[in-house]
Amino acid sequence: MSPTTNPPTHPSTNLTKHHHSPAVPFTTVAVVGAGTIGLSWAALFAARGLRVTVTDPREDLDTTVTEALPMLADGLPGSDTGELRGRIRTTHDLAGAVADADLVQENGPENLEFKQRLFADIARYAPAGAVLATSSSGIVATAIAAQLPADSAARLLVAHPFNPPHLVPLVEIVPGERTSEETVEAVTAFYQALGKTPVRLHKELPGFAANRLQSAVLQEAMHLVLSGVLDAGEVDTVMKASLGGRYAAVGPFESFHLGGGPGGIRHMMEHLGPGLVESWQRLGHPELDDAATATVVSQTEAAYGYGPGAYRERAALRDRKQLALNDVLRRTDRN
Protein backbone atom coordinates (compact mmCIF):
# COMPACT_ATOMS: atom_id res chain seq x y z
CA MET A 1 0.00 0.00 0.00
CA SER A 2 2.98 2.31 -0.09
CA PRO A 3 2.06 5.39 -2.11
CA THR A 4 4.32 6.75 -4.80
CA THR A 5 3.36 10.40 -4.46
CA ASN A 6 5.28 12.90 -2.37
CA PRO A 7 3.94 13.30 1.17
CA PRO A 8 1.72 16.29 1.82
CA THR A 9 2.76 18.74 4.47
CA HIS A 10 0.70 19.38 7.58
CA PRO A 11 0.87 21.91 10.36
CA SER A 12 1.94 20.62 13.73
CA THR A 13 -1.08 19.41 15.68
CA ASN A 14 -2.01 17.31 18.71
CA LEU A 15 -4.91 15.27 20.04
CA THR A 16 -6.44 18.22 21.86
CA LYS A 17 -6.76 20.17 18.61
CA HIS A 18 -8.48 17.17 17.05
CA HIS A 19 -11.17 17.04 19.75
CA HIS A 20 -13.97 18.67 17.78
CA SER A 21 -16.60 18.08 20.47
CA PRO A 22 -16.85 16.22 23.78
CA ALA A 23 -19.23 13.68 22.25
CA VAL A 24 -17.41 13.00 18.97
CA PRO A 25 -13.71 13.76 19.31
CA PHE A 26 -12.94 13.02 15.65
CA THR A 27 -14.78 13.92 12.45
CA THR A 28 -12.53 12.56 9.68
CA VAL A 29 -11.51 8.90 9.49
CA ALA A 30 -9.30 7.00 7.06
CA VAL A 31 -10.08 3.30 6.67
CA VAL A 32 -7.03 1.45 5.37
CA GLY A 33 -7.98 -1.91 3.87
CA ALA A 34 -11.34 -2.65 2.22
CA GLY A 35 -11.92 -6.21 3.32
CA THR A 36 -14.91 -7.34 5.37
CA ILE A 37 -13.77 -5.53 8.53
CA GLY A 38 -12.73 -2.33 6.80
CA LEU A 39 -15.99 -2.03 4.85
CA SER A 40 -18.00 -2.61 8.02
CA TRP A 41 -16.04 0.08 9.86
CA ALA A 42 -16.51 2.50 6.95
CA ALA A 43 -20.27 2.01 6.96
CA LEU A 44 -20.47 2.58 10.71
CA PHE A 45 -18.32 5.71 10.57
CA ALA A 46 -20.40 7.13 7.72
CA ALA A 47 -23.66 6.28 9.49
CA ARG A 48 -22.49 8.35 12.44
CA GLY A 49 -21.95 11.35 10.20
CA LEU A 50 -18.17 11.16 9.86
CA ARG A 51 -16.24 11.93 6.70
CA VAL A 52 -14.62 8.68 5.60
CA THR A 53 -11.88 7.85 3.12
CA VAL A 54 -11.32 4.20 2.23
CA THR A 55 -8.04 3.17 0.65
CA ASP A 56 -6.95 -0.19 -0.71
CA PRO A 57 -4.80 -1.21 -3.70
CA ARG A 58 -7.55 -3.42 -5.16
CA GLU A 59 -8.55 -2.25 -8.64
CA ASP A 60 -12.28 -2.62 -7.97
CA LEU A 61 -12.22 -0.53 -4.79
CA ASP A 62 -14.95 1.91 -5.78
CA THR A 63 -17.28 -0.87 -6.95
CA THR A 64 -16.55 -2.96 -3.87
CA VAL A 65 -17.60 -0.16 -1.52
CA THR A 66 -20.74 0.63 -3.52
CA GLU A 67 -21.84 -3.01 -3.71
CA ALA A 68 -21.20 -3.68 -0.01
CA LEU A 69 -23.17 -0.73 1.35
CA PRO A 70 -26.77 -1.93 0.84
CA MET A 71 -26.33 -4.96 3.09
CA LEU A 72 -24.28 -2.96 5.59
CA ALA A 73 -26.92 -0.22 5.67
CA ASP A 74 -29.54 -2.82 6.58
CA GLY A 75 -27.62 -3.36 9.81
CA LEU A 76 -27.56 0.36 10.61
CA PRO A 77 -31.18 1.38 11.31
CA GLY A 78 -32.08 4.76 9.88
CA SER A 79 -29.23 4.72 7.40
CA ASP A 80 -29.69 5.43 3.71
CA THR A 81 -27.32 3.74 1.29
CA GLY A 82 -26.99 6.82 -0.87
CA GLU A 83 -26.21 9.06 2.09
CA LEU A 84 -23.61 6.62 3.37
CA ARG A 85 -21.96 6.47 -0.04
CA GLY A 86 -21.93 10.24 -0.19
CA ARG A 87 -19.82 10.38 2.98
CA ILE A 88 -17.29 7.79 1.76
CA ARG A 89 -14.47 8.70 -0.59
CA THR A 90 -12.28 6.02 -2.15
CA THR A 91 -8.69 6.27 -3.29
CA HIS A 92 -5.73 4.03 -4.07
CA ASP A 93 -3.39 6.69 -2.71
CA LEU A 94 -2.53 6.00 0.94
CA ALA A 95 -0.92 9.40 1.42
CA GLY A 96 -4.00 11.21 0.21
CA ALA A 97 -6.31 8.98 2.22
CA VAL A 98 -4.72 9.73 5.59
CA ALA A 99 -3.66 13.33 4.86
CA ASP A 100 -6.36 14.97 6.99
CA ALA A 101 -7.47 12.03 9.15
CA ASP A 102 -8.22 12.49 12.82
CA LEU A 103 -8.07 8.70 13.16
CA VAL A 104 -6.73 5.96 10.91
CA GLN A 105 -8.40 2.54 11.24
CA GLU A 106 -6.06 -0.05 9.68
CA ASN A 107 -7.46 -3.40 8.52
CA GLY A 108 -4.61 -5.00 6.60
CA PRO A 109 -3.36 -8.59 6.60
CA GLU A 110 -2.43 -10.24 9.90
CA ASN A 111 1.29 -10.11 9.24
CA LEU A 112 3.66 -8.25 11.55
CA GLU A 113 6.18 -7.17 8.93
CA PHE A 114 3.41 -5.93 6.64
CA LYS A 115 1.81 -3.90 9.43
CA GLN A 116 5.15 -2.43 10.45
CA ARG A 117 5.79 -1.22 6.89
CA LEU A 118 2.24 0.01 6.49
CA PHE A 119 2.23 2.00 9.72
CA ALA A 120 5.60 3.52 8.87
CA ASP A 121 3.92 4.94 5.75
CA ILE A 122 0.76 5.93 7.61
CA ALA A 123 2.73 7.75 10.30
CA ARG A 124 4.74 9.55 7.61
CA TYR A 125 1.69 10.91 5.78
CA ALA A 126 -0.97 11.36 8.48
CA PRO A 127 -1.26 14.53 10.60
CA ALA A 128 1.02 14.64 13.61
CA GLY A 129 -1.92 14.30 15.99
CA ALA A 130 -3.85 11.53 14.25
CA VAL A 131 -4.63 8.40 16.26
CA LEU A 132 -3.25 5.28 14.58
CA ALA A 133 -5.54 2.33 15.33
CA THR A 134 -5.15 -1.22 14.09
CA SER A 135 -8.00 -3.70 13.88
CA SER A 136 -5.49 -6.53 14.30
CA SER A 137 -7.08 -9.62 15.82
CA GLY A 138 -3.93 -10.81 17.54
CA ILE A 139 -0.75 -8.78 16.92
CA VAL A 140 0.14 -6.47 19.80
CA ALA A 141 0.73 -2.75 19.34
CA THR A 142 4.19 -2.85 20.90
CA ALA A 143 5.41 -5.12 18.11
CA ILE A 144 3.75 -3.11 15.35
CA ALA A 145 5.22 0.15 16.67
CA ALA A 146 8.67 -1.26 17.40
CA GLN A 147 10.37 0.62 14.56
CA LEU A 148 8.38 3.85 14.82
CA PRO A 149 9.67 7.03 16.47
CA ALA A 150 8.35 7.80 19.93
CA ASP A 151 5.78 10.39 18.85
CA SER A 152 4.18 7.97 16.39
CA ALA A 153 4.30 5.02 18.77
CA ALA A 154 2.53 7.16 21.39
CA ARG A 155 -0.46 7.43 19.03
CA LEU A 156 -0.65 3.79 17.97
CA LEU A 157 -2.81 1.17 19.67
CA VAL A 158 -4.99 -1.84 18.94
CA ALA A 159 -8.72 -1.17 18.52
CA HIS A 160 -9.88 -4.70 17.75
CA PRO A 161 -13.56 -5.06 16.81
CA PHE A 162 -15.58 -8.23 16.91
CA ASN A 163 -16.88 -9.04 13.44
CA PRO A 164 -18.88 -7.32 12.03
CA PRO A 165 -17.89 -3.99 13.58
CA HIS A 166 -21.04 -2.15 12.51
CA LEU A 167 -23.17 -4.61 14.51
CA VAL A 168 -21.24 -6.20 17.37
CA PRO A 169 -20.59 -3.67 20.16
CA LEU A 170 -17.18 -4.76 21.46
CA VAL A 171 -13.94 -2.96 20.67
CA GLU A 172 -10.87 -4.21 22.54
CA ILE A 173 -8.58 -1.28 23.34
CA VAL A 174 -5.04 -2.59 23.78
CA PRO A 175 -2.33 0.07 24.16
CA GLY A 176 1.30 -0.75 23.51
CA GLU A 177 4.21 -0.10 25.84
CA ARG A 178 4.72 3.37 24.32
CA THR A 179 1.07 4.32 23.73
CA SER A 180 0.17 7.53 25.58
CA GLU A 181 -2.69 7.67 28.04
CA GLU A 182 -4.03 10.66 26.10
CA THR A 183 -4.40 8.45 23.03
CA VAL A 184 -6.20 5.74 25.00
CA GLU A 185 -8.64 8.24 26.50
CA ALA A 186 -9.33 9.95 23.18
CA VAL A 187 -9.97 6.76 21.26
CA THR A 188 -12.12 5.28 24.03
CA ALA A 189 -14.33 8.39 23.95
CA PHE A 190 -14.52 8.12 20.17
CA TYR A 191 -15.76 4.54 20.08
CA GLN A 192 -18.19 5.21 22.91
CA ALA A 193 -19.63 8.11 20.90
CA LEU A 194 -20.18 5.67 18.02
CA GLY A 195 -22.27 3.46 20.29
CA LYS A 196 -19.57 0.83 20.68
CA THR A 197 -18.52 -0.88 23.91
CA PRO A 198 -14.76 -0.30 24.32
CA VAL A 199 -12.99 -2.50 26.86
CA ARG A 200 -9.40 -1.76 27.76
CA LEU A 201 -7.05 -4.67 28.32
CA HIS A 202 -4.64 -4.17 31.23
CA LYS A 203 -1.93 -6.29 29.60
CA GLU A 204 -0.87 -7.05 26.06
CA LEU A 205 -1.06 -10.65 24.94
CA PRO A 206 -1.43 -12.21 21.48
CA GLY A 207 -5.06 -12.77 20.53
CA PHE A 208 -6.26 -10.32 23.20
CA ALA A 209 -9.34 -11.47 25.17
CA ALA A 210 -12.40 -12.10 23.01
CA ASN A 211 -10.60 -14.19 20.39
CA ARG A 212 -8.90 -16.26 23.07
CA LEU A 213 -12.28 -17.03 24.60
CA GLN A 214 -13.68 -17.81 21.17
CA SER A 215 -10.72 -20.05 20.39
CA ALA A 216 -11.27 -22.09 23.56
CA VAL A 217 -14.92 -22.70 22.63
CA LEU A 218 -14.05 -23.51 19.03
CA GLN A 219 -11.42 -26.02 20.16
CA GLU A 220 -13.98 -28.08 22.03
CA ALA A 221 -16.58 -27.60 19.29
CA MET A 222 -14.14 -29.09 16.78
CA HIS A 223 -13.42 -31.95 19.18
CA LEU A 224 -17.14 -32.77 19.52
CA VAL A 225 -17.58 -32.82 15.74
CA LEU A 226 -14.44 -34.82 14.98
CA SER A 227 -15.24 -37.30 17.75
CA GLY A 228 -18.66 -37.92 16.24
CA VAL A 229 -20.54 -36.64 19.28
CA LEU A 230 -22.47 -34.06 17.26
CA ASP A 231 -22.31 -32.67 13.76
CA ALA A 232 -21.47 -29.03 13.09
CA GLY A 233 -25.06 -27.83 12.86
CA GLU A 234 -25.98 -29.62 16.09
CA VAL A 235 -23.09 -28.03 17.96
CA ASP A 236 -24.35 -24.64 16.83
CA THR A 237 -27.85 -25.52 18.02
CA VAL A 238 -26.51 -26.54 21.44
CA MET A 239 -24.59 -23.27 21.71
CA LYS A 240 -27.49 -21.06 20.60
CA ALA A 241 -29.95 -22.85 22.89
CA SER A 242 -27.73 -22.64 25.98
CA LEU A 243 -24.49 -20.74 26.41
CA GLY A 244 -25.00 -18.33 23.53
CA GLY A 245 -28.18 -16.87 24.95
CA ARG A 246 -26.96 -17.03 28.51
CA TYR A 247 -23.68 -15.26 27.81
CA ALA A 248 -25.50 -12.52 25.91
CA ALA A 249 -27.32 -11.77 29.16
CA VAL A 250 -24.56 -12.44 31.69
CA GLY A 251 -20.88 -13.34 31.28
CA PRO A 252 -19.23 -16.53 32.51
CA PHE A 253 -18.32 -15.19 35.94
CA GLU A 254 -21.72 -13.68 36.70
CA SER A 255 -23.35 -16.86 35.39
CA PHE A 256 -21.17 -18.98 37.66
CA HIS A 257 -21.90 -16.63 40.58
CA LEU A 258 -25.66 -16.84 40.06
CA GLY A 259 -25.42 -20.61 39.64
CA GLY A 260 -24.35 -20.84 43.27
CA GLY A 261 -27.62 -19.39 44.52
CA PRO A 262 -27.37 -17.22 47.63
CA GLY A 263 -23.92 -18.68 48.30
CA GLY A 264 -22.75 -17.41 44.92
CA ILE A 265 -19.33 -18.10 43.50
CA ARG A 266 -17.93 -19.02 46.92
CA HIS A 267 -20.30 -21.98 47.04
CA MET A 268 -19.54 -22.92 43.43
CA MET A 269 -15.78 -22.81 43.94
CA GLU A 270 -15.97 -24.90 47.09
CA HIS A 271 -18.17 -27.58 45.56
CA LEU A 272 -17.25 -27.53 41.87
CA GLY A 273 -13.75 -26.07 41.80
CA PRO A 274 -11.85 -29.39 41.98
CA GLY A 275 -14.18 -30.92 39.40
CA LEU A 276 -13.56 -28.02 37.05
CA VAL A 277 -9.85 -28.69 37.05
CA GLU A 278 -10.49 -32.33 36.24
CA SER A 279 -12.92 -31.44 33.44
CA TRP A 280 -10.36 -29.13 31.86
CA GLN A 281 -8.01 -32.09 31.52
CA ARG A 282 -10.69 -33.96 29.55
CA LEU A 283 -11.17 -31.26 26.94
CA GLY A 284 -10.22 -32.28 23.43
CA HIS A 285 -7.16 -31.18 21.50
CA PRO A 286 -8.13 -31.89 17.89
CA GLU A 287 -5.62 -32.04 15.08
CA LEU A 288 -6.82 -30.29 11.94
CA ASP A 289 -5.27 -32.54 9.32
CA ASP A 290 -6.73 -32.81 5.82
CA ALA A 291 -9.36 -35.37 6.81
CA ALA A 292 -10.48 -33.40 9.86
CA THR A 293 -10.68 -30.19 7.86
CA ALA A 294 -12.73 -31.91 5.17
CA THR A 295 -15.17 -33.19 7.81
CA VAL A 296 -15.67 -29.77 9.38
CA VAL A 297 -16.02 -28.03 6.02
CA SER A 298 -18.48 -30.56 4.56
CA GLN A 299 -20.70 -30.56 7.65
CA THR A 300 -20.76 -26.77 7.91
CA GLU A 301 -21.51 -26.30 4.21
CA ALA A 302 -24.24 -28.94 4.44
CA ALA A 303 -25.84 -27.03 7.29
CA TYR A 304 -25.53 -23.50 5.93
CA GLY A 305 -24.75 -23.69 2.22
CA TYR A 306 -21.80 -22.08 0.47
CA GLY A 307 -21.02 -19.52 -2.19
CA PRO A 308 -21.95 -15.83 -2.55
CA GLY A 309 -25.71 -16.39 -2.43
CA ALA A 310 -25.62 -18.47 0.74
CA TYR A 311 -23.23 -15.99 2.34
CA ARG A 312 -25.53 -13.03 1.68
CA GLU A 313 -28.58 -14.91 2.96
CA ARG A 314 -26.95 -16.21 6.14
CA ALA A 315 -25.13 -12.93 6.84
CA ALA A 316 -28.38 -10.98 6.52
CA LEU A 317 -30.10 -13.38 8.92
CA ARG A 318 -27.20 -13.06 11.37
CA ASP A 319 -27.36 -9.28 11.16
CA ARG A 320 -31.12 -9.19 11.84
CA LYS A 321 -30.68 -11.41 14.87
CA GLN A 322 -27.76 -9.37 16.17
CA LEU A 323 -29.69 -6.12 15.75
CA ALA A 324 -32.68 -7.55 17.61
CA LEU A 325 -30.44 -8.83 20.39
CA ASN A 326 -28.61 -5.50 20.69
CA ASP A 327 -31.91 -3.64 20.90
CA VAL A 328 -33.37 -5.91 23.57
CA LEU A 329 -30.23 -5.80 25.69
CA ARG A 330 -30.00 -1.99 25.46
CA ARG A 331 -33.64 -1.54 26.46
CA THR A 332 -33.35 -4.06 29.28
CA ASP A 333 -30.15 -2.52 30.65
CA ARG A 334 -31.81 0.91 30.75
CA ASN A 335 -34.71 -0.38 32.86
Side-chain angles (χ1 to χ4, degrees), residues 39 42-43 64-74 81 84-86 88:
L39 292 170
T64 296
V65 172
T66 300
E67 292 180 348
L69 282 178
M71 187 170 77
L72 293 169
D74 287 342
T81 301
L84 294 183
R85 190 66 182 90
I88 299 174

Side-chain angles (χ1 to χ4, degrees), residues 6-7 54 59 72 94 102 104 133 176 180 203 210 279 281 291 298 302 326:
N6 293 325
V54 178
E59 294 182 0
L72 293 169
L94 178 65
D102 297 315
V104 178
S180 73
K203 293 182 178 181
S279 70
Q281 308 308 312
S298 64
N326 290 350

Side-chain angles (χ1 to χ4, degrees), residues 206-293:
F208 316 127
N211 272 342
R212 293 175 73 97
L213 291 168
Q214 179 176 243
S215 181
V217 171
L218 193 56
Q219 173 182 316
E220 187 60 21
M222 293 281 189
H223 171 68
L224 293 172
V225 167
L226 297 174
S227 299
V229 177
L230 295 168
D231 66 28
E234 291 166 338
V235 169
D236 281 357
T237 297
V238 167
M239 176 60 71
K240 290 184 290 184
S242 61
L243 293 178
R246 175 184 290 178
Y247 286 169
V250 295
F253 285 105
E254 184 177 2
S255 176
F256 201 51
H257 188 42
L258 293 173
I265 194 168
R266 293 178 184 272
H267 173 80
M268 295 293 274
M269 294 297 284
E270 289 172 1
H271 291 269
L272 298 182
L276 276 176
V277 174
E278 291 181 9
S279 70
W280 292 336
Q281 308 308 312
R282 296 193 297 270
L283 293 176
H285 294 83
E287 295 291 334
L288 290 182
D289 55 21
D290 290 345
T293 298

Side-chain angles (χ1 to χ4, degrees), residues 152-238:
S152 298
R155 295 180 284 113
L156 190 150
L157 81 175
V158 169
H160 170 237
F162 223 57
N163 191 28
H166 72 292
L167 283 175
V168 182
L170 178 69
V171 182
E172 293 179 295
I173 306 297
V174 195
E177 293 175 359
R178 295 191 289 163
T179 306
S180 73
E181 189 62 26
E182 182 184 18
T183 297
V184 175
E185 293 174 359
V187 82
T188 299
F190 171 67
Y191 292 117
Q192 285 176 332
L194 296 180
K196 304 291 286 180
T197 302
V199 176
R200 179 179 181 171
L201 272 64
H202 305 297
K203 293 182 178 181
E204 284 188 306
L205 78 169
F208 316 127
N211 272 342
R212 293 175 73 97
L213 291 168
Q214 179 176 243
S215 181
V217 171
L218 193 56
Q219 173 182 316
E220 187 60 21
M222 293 281 189
H223 171 68
L224 293 172
V225 167
L226 297 174
S227 299
V229 177
L230 295 168
D231 66 28
E234 291 166 338
V235 169
D236 281 357
T237 297
V238 167

